Amino acid sequence: MRAEHPLRRTVVNEMHLRRWPRFTAPASIVQYLRMVGDGDEREAERRALEALGGAPLAPGQRHLIGTFAPGIRLCWERHNEATTLTLFLEGTEAVLAMRDDPLLAPALDWAEALPGTVLRATRVAVVADEAQAQAMLPRLAFVETDLVSCHVGAPPGTDGGGVRMWSDYVLADDGFGLLLVAAGDCDRGTLSRTVQGLQELGNYRNLALLGLPDARAGWKVLDGIEAQFDAAFRRMTRSDVSDDSLLDEVSALALALTTQAAAVDFRMSATEAYAGLVEERLADLRVRPCPGFLTLADFTQRRFQPAVRTCSAHRRRTEQLSARLGQFMSLLRTRVETRIENQNARLLASMEQSAARQLRLQQLVEGLSVVALSYYLIALLGHVLEAAEGFALRLHAHLVLGVLTPLVVLGMWWAIHALKKRVLD
């Protein structure tokens, strides 16, 4: 096709459900949920899958159904930060023997050699009906006080049908959890979808709970930041504490809070997203209780929801503390600006007083200048008149000088003011 959008096939493939291959009871299923980092680990995983299948994976391929060996099928799926690898063996209870089973042991060795770290490993034993499951229960050594059992996957609008599951969600010595499923009257498709839903519920639950340790550790960090912030707020009212020291302290707290929020923000967001998927999967399973047993919904609500709320509370507390620090910074900024304005006002008042004093001094200097210049000019005129008095007998120098003195002073005052006006203009 010409001019095809480069993401068209990716978008179309994303809309298709990544279903497990269908199977019938009895069957054994082993699933690994791994955290696989980008780069080298993803590339090593791709090479291992291509070597097993003998064909390269398509670019961007995120789902693969293939065969490990005769009698063992596998299903691989890549998620954003994890991958799941599931092994299927029909007509056998191999998961009860695990590594002692000659068919399953090589597949387990290959699967556990794949890159990444295992977050969840589960073995699922699928039997035909509840009678076979009850006969098998003593061999599974479930912890009775933690045992969860209920019916799941009933068709919509019915009160019966579906499968029954048992699990204590406790890790065995080999590091695997164990799930027992009685198929009942389910067909192959319904059985496959239901068991897949049970596994996805557990996988998303574990992925969501990855945020709980970060939330608990971050809670202590937030306690320290909040205590320092409260102390800084109390010191703000003291007159002996400078604004510069307060600003430095609150800036350091804001940096620490930002660092903490950035460190856990992805994990808290991921926990919120995975928790939504857990709720969806739980609703899709349509859990129905079995008398005397804790249901899957009860188990999830009792332990999972408090953990998710702790992560949500951590995010809310971080946001609230960030808002409080922002308000404190705004208040401190207003206080600093007010002090600067007051300081500027005092400086302007002082400058006004200085200008007034300079004006008075200038007027005094101008007056003294008029007197001084007038005195020198009158003295010069006096010498001239005394010299002229010898030639003109009727000339009285002192009388003429006395008459000229006021005129000289007025003329000098006028000349200085005219010169000042000319300079200023």
Side-chain angles (χ1 to χ4, degrees), residues 133-263:
Q134 294 291 348
M136 185 183 292
L137 278 174
R139 301 165 54 192
L140 303 182
F142 283 133
V143 179
E144 186 175 354
T145 55
D146 294 329
L147 187 58
V148 176
S149 180
C150 57
H151 289 96
V152 294
T158 63
D159 295 331
V163 305
R164 183 173 179 180
M165 54 79 60
W166 291 262
S167 180
D168 57 1
Y169 293 99
V170 175
L171 296 182
D173 294 337
D174 59 0
F176 283 83
L178 178 60
L179 176 66
L180 175 61
V181 174
D185 56 357
C186 288
D187 57 56
R188 299 174 67 225
T190 303
L191 178 62
S192 174
R193 289 193 300 271
T194 302
V195 178
Q196 182 180 1
L198 285 170
Q199 285 299 97
E200 289 180 347
L201 174 66
N203 292 341
Y204 290 134
R205 183 176 60 236
N206 280 24
L207 287 168
L209 290 177
L210 283 177
L212 183 60
D214 288 342
R216 287 173 174 169
W219 203 267
K220 297 179 181 178
V221 176
L222 295 181
D223 286 341
I225 293 175
E226 189 167 19
Q228 296 179 54
F229 171 70
D230 292 339
F233 193 83
R234 288 191 297 269
R235 282 196 295 274
M236 188 177 183
T237 60
R238 292 168 48 185
S239 59
D240 59 333
V241 179
S242 67
D243 293 335
D244 290 341
S245 63
L246 278 176
L247 184 60
D248 291 341
E249 184 176 355
V250 176
S251 297
L253 290 177
L255 178 60
L257 181 62
T258 302
T259 303
Q260 167 64 19

Side-chain angles (χ1 to χ4, degrees), residues 334-346:
T334 302
R335 171 174 153 173
V336 171
E337 291 175 353
T338 302
R339 289 190 176 182
I340 292 175
E341 290 176 358
N342 293 336
Q343 184 178 1
N344 291 340
R346 290 193 296 269

Side-chain angles (χ1 to χ4, degrees), residues 42-66 76 78:
R42 290 286 191 188
E43 180 63 21
E45 181 185 48
R46 183 186 65 80
R47 289 197 301 266
L49 291 170
E50 289 178 344
L52 179 66
L57 295 179
Q61 185 173 348
R62 302 172 65 90
H63 187 247
L64 174 67
I65 295 179
W76 169 83
R78 174 178 293 176

Side-chain angles (χ1 to χ4, degrees), residues 135-422:
M136 185 183 292
L137 278 174
R139 301 165 54 192
L140 303 182
F142 283 133
V143 179
E144 186 175 354
T145 55
D146 294 329
L147 187 58
V148 176
S149 180
C150 57
H151 289 96
V152 294
T158 63
D159 295 331
V163 305
R164 183 173 179 180
M165 54 79 60
W166 291 262
S167 180
D168 57 1
Y169 293 99
V170 175
L171 296 182
D173 294 337
D174 59 0
F176 283 83
L178 178 60
L179 176 66
L180 175 61
V181 174
D185 56 357
C186 288
D187 57 56
R188 299 174 67 225
T190 303
L191 178 62
S192 174
R193 289 193 300 271
T194 302
V195 178
Q196 182 180 1
L198 285 170
Q199 285 299 97
E200 289 180 347
L201 174 66
N203 292 341
Y204 290 134
R205 183 176 60 236
N206 280 24
L207 287 168
L209 290 177
L210 283 177
L212 183 60
D214 288 342
R216 287 173 174 169
W219 203 267
K220 297 179 181 178
V221 176
L222 295 181
D223 286 341
I225 293 175
E226 189 167 19
Q228 296 179 54
F229 171 70
D230 292 339
F233 193 83
R234 288 191 297 269
R235 282 196 295 274
M236 188 177 183
T237 60
R238 292 168 48 185
S239 59
D240 59 333
V241 179
S242 67
D243 293 335
D244 290 341
S245 63
L246 278 176
L247 184 60
D248 291 341
E249 184 176 355
V250 176
S251 297
L253 290 177
L255 178 60
L257 181 62
T258 302
T259 303
Q260 167 64 19
V264 302
D265 184 67
F266 170 76
R267 195 72 265 160
M268 297 299 105
S269 299
T271 293
E272 183 178 353
Y274 288 130
L277 292 173
V278 169
E279 294 293 336
E280 291 178 4
R281 294 299 184 273
L282 194 59
D284 292 340
L285 287 171
R286 294 183 291 277
V287 176
R288 291 184 294 111
C290 294
F293 290 95
L294 189 68
T295 69
L296 190 59
D298 295 335
F299 174 80
T300 302
Q301 296 293 335
R302 187 179 65 178
R303 299 302 303 157
F304 177 72
Q305 288 300 331
V308 172
R309 293 191 186 102
T310 298
C311 295
S312 299
H314 179 277
R315 293 193 71 181
R316 287 196 304 271
R317 189 183 181 192
T318 301
E319 294 170 355
Q320 292 170 357
L321 192 53
S322 178
R324 289 180 60 193
L325 278 173
Q327 292 172 355
F328 183 87
M329 292 285 284
S330 178
L331 182 61
L332 183 59
R333 190 181 303 111
T334 302
R335 171 174 153 173
V336 171
E337 291 175 353
T338 302
R339 289 190 176 182
I340 292 175
E341 290 176 358
N342 293 336
Q343 184 178 1
N344 291 340
R346 290 193 296 269
L347 181 60
L348 289 174
S350 175
M351 292 175 62
E352 185 177 359
Q353 294 174 359
S354 298
R357 285 194 295 268
Q358 290 177 0
L359 179 60
R360 288 194 294 269
L361 288 174
Q362 182 181 354
Q363 292 172 347
L364 177 60
V365 170
E366 289 178 1
L368 293 175
S369 299
V370 170
V371 173
L373 292 174
S374 299
Y375 174 78
Y376 286 115
L377 183 57
I378 291 171
L380 292 174
L381 290 174
H383 289 298
V384 173
L385 291 174
E386 288 176 358
E389 193 176 20
F391 298 98
L393 299 177
R394 296 181 180 181
L395 180 63
H396 299 283
H398 293 289
L399 180 60
V400 175
L401 193 59
V403 174
L404 290 176
T405 296
L407 297 177
V408 170
V409 173
L410 290 174
M412 189 58 66
W413 177 87
W414 179 84
I416 289 177
H417 276 267
L419 180 61
K420 177 181 175 182
K421 183 177 181 181
R422 181 177 179 183

